[in-house]
């Protein structure tokens, strides 16, 4: 594992294009383990799922190990609400992002199809059956579950008071984030990938 930092830009004549800023090695630290899934970063911390069913947290400014906690993440970790969320084979687990201590655990009756998404206190999970689960991020309480009748293709998107879900049957389904009630759905010419949404528009590839 290594972290680099950008160097200062050198003065150049105005008629010459600027090159890339030089990168200096800030620190270098061997993990001595394989990364099980892609690490995630939040502020000055990096979270690395490593071998032997562990998650290691480092201060990325200096490479200091902050904590190691047990974990079996099946997807990329998700951050939010001062917590770190992981999808294990049989549960969603929330860890305190500053200590690695388990905050809560939500048992799964079926596997998930995509990583979790967290925003504004909501944690959204996508089951392989086509169900969407909305969980209160702070304590792991299930607020609602909505069956969509097809497999979910990519991670849902939360924007304002809505959840947008790309489906393998070509639909985009919009639901109220508070209740899970469907608002509208549109069928595209192909399977939509991850969605970007604003207050006025929804974009999907």
């Amino acid at each position: 594992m290594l972290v680099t930092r950008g160097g200062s830009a050198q003065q150049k004549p105005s008629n010459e294009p600027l090159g890339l800023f030089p990168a200096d090695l800030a620190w270098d630290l061997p993990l001595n383990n394989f990364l099980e899934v892609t690490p995630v970063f939040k502020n000055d911390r990096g979270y690395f799922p490593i071998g032997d069913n562990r998650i290691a947290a480092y201060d990325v400014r200096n490479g200091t190990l902050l904590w190691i906690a047990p974990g079996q993440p099946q997807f990329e970790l998700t951050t939010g609400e001062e917590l770190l969320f992981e999808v294990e084979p049989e549960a969603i687990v929330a860890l305190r992002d500053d200590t690695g201590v388990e905050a809560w655990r939500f048992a799964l009756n079926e596997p998930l199809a995509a990583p979790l998404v967290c925003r504004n206190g909501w944690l959204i999970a996508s089951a392989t059956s086509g169900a969407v689960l909305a969980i209160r991020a702070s304590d792991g309480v299930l607020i609602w579950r909505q069956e969509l009748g097809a497999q979910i293709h990519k991670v849902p998107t939360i924007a304002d008071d809505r959840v947008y879900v790309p489906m393998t049957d070509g639909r985009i389904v919009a639901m109220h984030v508070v209740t899970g009630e469907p608002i509208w759905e549109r069928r595209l010419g192909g399977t939509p990938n991850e969605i970007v949404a604003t207050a006025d528009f929804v974009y999907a590839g």
Side-chain angles (χ1 to χ4, degrees):
M1 175 173 63
L2 62 86
V3 172
T4 60
R5 60 188 174 199
S8 59
Q10 298 178 348
Q11 294 294 329
K12 285 200 162 193
S14 59
N15 60 345
E16 292 186 22
L18 286 174
L20 293 176
F21 290 173
D24 297 326
L25 180 66
W27 51 265
D28 185 352
L29 180 69
L31 285 175
N32 298 322
N33 282 276
F34 289 109
L35 285 173
E36 299 295 334
V37 296
T38 304
V40 297
F41 300 87
K42 180 183 178 183
N43 300 328
D44 55 4
R45 298 190 187 120
Y47 303 98
F48 298 82
I50 58 177
D52 297 327
N53 298 327
R54 294 176 298 164
I55 298 172
Y58 285 87
D59 186 324
V60 297
R61 297 168 299 179
N62 49 37
T64 302
L65 177 64
L66 302 175
W67 52 259
I68 294 179
Q72 305 176 59
Q74 308 298 294
F75 299 104
E76 182 177 308
L77 301 169
T78 302
T79 61
E81 304 297 309
E82 299 183 347
L83 296 170
L84 186 68
F85 305 100
E86 61 161 329
V87 178
E88 295 193 348
E90 297 180 351
I92 296 171
V93 180
L95 306 176
R96 300 290 179 192
D97 62 11
D98 57 345
T99 63
V101 174
E102 183 175 316
W104 54 258
R105 178 178 293 261
F106 178 85
L108 292 171
N109 297 321
E110 57 189 320
L112 298 188
L116 304 167
V117 59
C118 182
R119 186 171 181 182
N120 298 332
W122 293 96
L123 188 67
I124 302 296
S126 312
T128 54
S129 64
V132 176
L133 291 74
I135 299 167
R136 194 161 57 209
S138 60
D139 57 12
V141 173
L142 178 66
I143 303 302
W144 54 260
R145 175 189 174 105
Q146 184 66 252
E147 304 286 345
L148 297 182
Q151 289 189 338
I152 297 165
H153 183 56
K154 294 288 185 178
V155 180
T157 296
I158 304 174
D160 294 330
D161 62 347
R162 298 184 181 184
V163 179
Y164 301 96
V165 187
M167 310 296 295
T168 56
D169 61 4
R171 290 179 297 152
I172 293 176
V173 180
M175 300 179 292
H176 282 290
V177 71
V178 176
T179 64
E181 289 299 315
I183 301 172
W184 55 260
E185 66 176 57
R186 296 288 184 275
R187 191 175 297 274
L188 307 182
T191 302
N193 288 312
E194 290 187 28
I195 294 168
V196 175
T198 68
D200 301 310
F201 295 98
V202 176
Y203 304 90

